[in-house]
Structure formats: structure tokens, C-alpha cells
């Protein structure tokens, strides 16, 4: 699992039918990657609904937030619609779990991503990472503390 | 060059203070802070359990309730929070009880008629309509976010997030463990 100071592995993943994004295209702004096991499972749903509610705080740091799991883009769309999520969910679907593996965030036995968080700085370096215990939603406090520390405590 | 960055998550960042709604003995050695959403079914399920906890550990634990409305998934949560906060100060817990015992009636007409009953002066209905407590509710919410609230209900026992369940036995065990010997 990449730690503070490690270069964040680059990736290109779909977030909707025919739409993809590359991590390297987001240089210049912080990126929050929230790996989670599965669309619609109760803990993850709370976590993503929480991030939607907190998104305006992430926006103060100009941070781009992504949820990421091995679910396909259509499943992500149904999940996002059902929870009113308005930030991109990346689909680590084909080859399955490849990006999750690169981030040390894949449970090969279950075939799901782990519930791990990464805050990546504007130069593409991991600033903070956190592995949440199984079944515990990590909340947003760690992400906000990391964004705040990265910006020198000054939200613009 | 980035230096390794460590933070502690799941700690109550806003101390319990005069502005809080507190139920139970002022001098109780254990404080249970609940961040809750009045429309959340899990909070509704936790409500009678927390009440029973307060009865069984009356001298030990007091409850603080703070708002954590997830409005994107619970459209009535924010109006319900306005309802509770708009109640006359000595009726806050009556309003709180009403909300958790009427979770199927959080629509505007039912909230308005319940408010008129709780506060016949009409002030409560007026405060709700003016969303007078919107800032306070947002303040509760953001304080919860910074403390690691990760859905509702989230409990803190003497300032530490309770990551276990909220069956009565689990809450009693958490309270007893936090109780000074």
C-alpha cells in the first residue's frame, strides 16, 4: 500500500459509459481516492452518502474526489442514482481490480477492493493513506485533516 | 518532499459545552454523544435502546444529541432538525422524543401541527419557517464530520468514537468501560 511520500500509481479508469479519467491529468490539484468493497453494501453506502454531504468541504481545497470499486459503470450509475451521489465513481472492472492491486487495496479472496483512503497532492505524490478496519466506515475527518495540512491549514 | 503525515481519527473535536442539549445527570461521569439524523431508520432503532441505557445507568451516563442530517438521502432530516432546535429550550427533549416516535410523520403538515401543540405561542412554527437554526445544524454537522462521524447514528463515549454496535449490551459495556473506577 503506497504510503506518505510515495508516488501515486497512475491509472486510467472509466467513470461512466465511454468516459475515462487518468490520475496524471489531474496534476495541480489534490485527489482523494476512496476505495470501497461494493456498490449498495450498507457500510459503503453510508460512506459514499457521507462524502456527498461533505463534498462542499472537499471543494474548498479544490480536491477531486473519486469513489472506486470493482463494480461496472452501469452498476455505479444505478448506485449513484439511488443515493443521489454527484461525484465520479471509478470502475476498476477490467482487468478486474488492477488499480486496487497497484494501491495494495485489493482482497483477492473476496474479489473486492479494501476500504482504503488515499489523499494525493498536486504533484501526484501520496500525502496520506489510511486502511480502515473491515466493516468500519472511516468517515471524512482524516481526509479533511490531510487536505488542511497539505494546504498549510489555509482553505481558499 | 512530503513528510509522513499521521492523524488520529474518530475523536470528538467539539467538546461538550453549554450550547449542547444534555439529557440525564449533569454530574454523570460518562458522556454519550450521539450524532443523529431524525429520519434515519437506524437512529430510530437506536432511540429506545439509548433511552433504556439512560434508565439503567442513570447516575453514570448522560446523553448529548447533535444533528447530522444526511439531506441527500433523507429529505425530511433537516426540517426535523429545525423542529427540534426550534422547540422552546425546556421542550427540546419532548420534540426529540416526538420525532423518534413519529418517523413516519415527518412531512411538513405533521411537523407544523406537532409544533403548534408543543409551543402554543406559535414561536416554534415561526422559527421553523424562518430556518432560524440552519447555521447551528450545519455547525453540528461539520463538527461531526471533523470528529469522524461516519454515518448515523455515530456515538462517542467520553470523546472516543464507539465503533461497536448499539445493542443495549454493547452500549452498557462501552459506558461501563469508560466509567472511572
Amino acid at each position: 500500500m503506497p504510503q506518505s511520500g510515495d508516488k501515486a500509481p497512475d491509472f486510467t479508469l472509466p467513470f461512466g459509459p465511454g468516459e475515462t479519467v487518468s490520475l496524471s491529468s489531474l496534476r495541480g490539484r489534490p485527489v482523494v481516492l476512496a476505495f470501497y468493497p461494493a456498490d449498495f453494501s450498507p457500510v459503503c453506502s453510508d460512506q459514499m452518502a457521507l462524502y456527498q454531504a461533505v463534498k462542499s468541504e472537499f471543494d474548498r481545497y479544490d480536491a477531486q474526489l473519486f469513489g472506486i470499486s470493482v463494480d461496472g459503470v452501469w452498476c455505479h450509475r444505478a448506485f449513484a442514482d439511488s443515493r443521489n451521489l454527484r461525484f465520479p465513481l471509478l470502475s476498476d472492472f477490467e482487468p478486474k481490480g488492477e488499480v486496487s492491486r497497484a494501491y495494495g487495496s485489493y482482497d483477492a479472496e473476496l474479489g473486492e477492493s479494501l476500504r482504503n483512503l488515499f489523499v494525493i497532492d498536486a504533484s501526484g505524490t501520496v500525502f496520506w493513506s489510511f486502511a480502515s478496519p473491515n466493516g468500519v466506515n472511516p468517515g471524512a475527518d482524516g481526509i479533511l485533516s490531510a487536505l488542511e495540512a497539505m494546504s498549510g491549514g489555509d482553505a481558499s | 518532499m512530503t513528510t509522513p503525515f499521521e492523524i488520529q481519527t474518530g475523536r470528538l473535536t467539539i467538546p461538550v459545552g453549554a450550547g449542547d442539549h444534555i439529557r440525564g445527570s449533569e454530574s454523570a461521569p460518562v458522556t454519550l454523544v450521539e450524532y443523529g439524523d431524525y429520519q434515519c431508520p437506524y437512529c430510530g432503532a437506536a432511540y429506545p435502546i439509548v433511552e433504556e441505557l439512560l434508565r439503567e445507568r442513570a447516575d453514570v451516563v448522560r446523553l448529548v444529541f447533535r444533528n447530522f442530517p444526511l439531506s441527500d438521502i433523507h429529505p425530511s432530516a433537516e426540517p426535523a432538525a429545525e423542529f427540534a432546535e426550534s422547540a422552546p429550550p425546556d421542550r427540546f427533549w419532548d420534540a426529540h422524543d416526538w420525532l423518534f416516535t413519529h418517523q413516519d410523520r415527518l412531512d411538513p403538515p405533521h411537523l407544523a401541527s406537532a409544533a403548534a401543540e408543543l409551543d402554543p405561542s406559535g414561536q416554534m412554527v415561526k422559527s421553523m419557517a424562518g430556518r432560524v437554526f440552519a447555521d447551528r445544524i450545519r455547525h453540528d454537522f461539520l463538527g461531526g464530520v471533523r470528529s469522524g462521524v461516519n454515518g448515523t447514528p455515530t456515538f462517542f463515549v467520553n470523546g472516543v468514537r464507539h465503533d461497536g454496535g448499539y445493542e443495549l449490551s454493547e452500549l452498557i459495556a462501552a459506558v461501563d468501560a469508560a466509567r472511572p473506577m
Side-chain angles (χ1 to χ4, degrees):
Chain A
M1 182 172 168
Q3 303 290 322
S4 298
D6 294 342
K7 194 168 159 35
D10 195 24
F11 58 78
T12 300
L13 283 177
F15 61 94
E19 300 172 294
T20 63
V21 66
S22 299
L23 179 64
S24 54
S25 73
L26 294 161
R27 290 290 138 75
R29 41 191 307 217
V31 173
V32 177
L33 287 182
F35 289 88
Y36 64 97
D39 289 346
F40 295 103
S41 77
V43 171
C44 311
S45 310
D46 287 345
Q47 188 182 357
M48 295 304 132
L50 174 68
Y51 291 172
Q52 178 61 51
V54 177
K55 194 176 165 299
S56 59
E57 296 301 300
F58 297 153
D59 290 345
R60 293 171 62 210
Y61 300 95
D62 193 32
Q64 175 63 57
L65 165 70
F66 295 107
I68 172 168
S69 77
V70 296
D71 297 284
V73 292
W74 297 104
C75 187
H76 272 344
R77 176 171 286 186
F79 176 54
D81 286 348
S82 77
R83 302 296 192 282
N84 214 357
L85 304 178
R86 299 180 297 283
F87 59 88
L89 301 175
L90 303 178
S91 191
D92 194 12
F93 181 71
E94 180 59 37
K96 189 183 176 194
E98 187 180 49
V99 174
S100 302
R101 285 174 203 272
Y103 279 81
S105 303
Y106 193 67
D107 182 330
E109 223 161 275
L110 290 174
E112 294 178 340
S113 305
L114 297 166
R115 196 171 285 104
N116 290 350
L117 298 175
F118 295 86
V119 174
I120 297 165
D121 72 13
S123 71
T125 302
V126 174
F127 183 76
W128 179 69
S129 58
F130 181 74
S132 191
N134 193 27
V136 176
N137 169 350
D141 56 330
I143 297 171
L144 286 171
S145 297
L147 291 172
E148 187 176 79
M150 233 162 63
S151 71
D154 183 29
S156 52
Chain B
M1 183 64 207
T2 312
T3 52
F5 177 68
E6 289 291 332
I7 56 162
Q8 196 176 41
T9 63
R11 292 292 184 280
L12 192 68
T13 53
I14 312 278
V16 173
D20 276 304
H21 303 293
I22 301 174
R23 181 172 244 180
S25 164
E26 271 296 326
S27 57
V30 179
T31 300
L32 181 74
V33 174
E34 175 180 359
Y35 278 91
D37 169 323
Y38 287 114
Q39 198 186 350
C40 165
Y42 302 102
C43 297
Y47 165 74
I49 299 169
V50 170
E51 291 304 300
E52 183 58 24
L53 172 74
L54 292 178
R55 273 190 291 276
E56 292 198 17
R57 289 292 185 273
D59 299 326
V60 180
V61 65
R62 58 183 188 156
L63 170 70
V64 168
F65 185 88
R66 292 177 177 170
N67 296 293
F68 203 81
L70 287 174
S71 301
D72 285 305
I73 50 174
H74 298 145
S76 300
E78 180 95 26
E82 293 277 357
F83 174 92
E85 295 298 338
S86 299
D90 61 332
R91 304 300 304 271
F92 171 83
W93 291 105
D94 295 325
H96 174 92
D97 293 339
W98 189 90
L99 291 166
F100 276 139
T101 49
H102 297 79
Q103 278 193 307
D104 56 342
R105 273 169 253 176
L106 302 182
D107 54 286
H110 277 105
L111 285 181
S113 67
E117 217 165 288
L118 267 172
D119 180 9
S121 80
Q123 185 55 46
M124 182 170 168
V125 172
K126 232 165 115 184
S127 294
M128 285 162 63
R131 302 196 60 219
V132 169
F133 292 95
D135 284 349
R136 182 203 162 109
I137 293 164
R138 183 77 185 155
H139 179 261
D140 273 5
F141 179 84
L142 290 177
V145 167
R146 295 312 300 255
S147 303
V149 170
N150 52 15
T152 53
T154 293
F155 295 101
F156 293 82
V157 179
N158 279 355
V160 179
R161 191 176 66 196
H162 171 70
D163 284 338
Y166 44 85
E167 293 293 329
L168 183 60
S169 57
E170 293 169 289
L171 287 180
I172 285 182
V175 164
D176 286 350
R179 179 184 193 168
M181 284 301 145

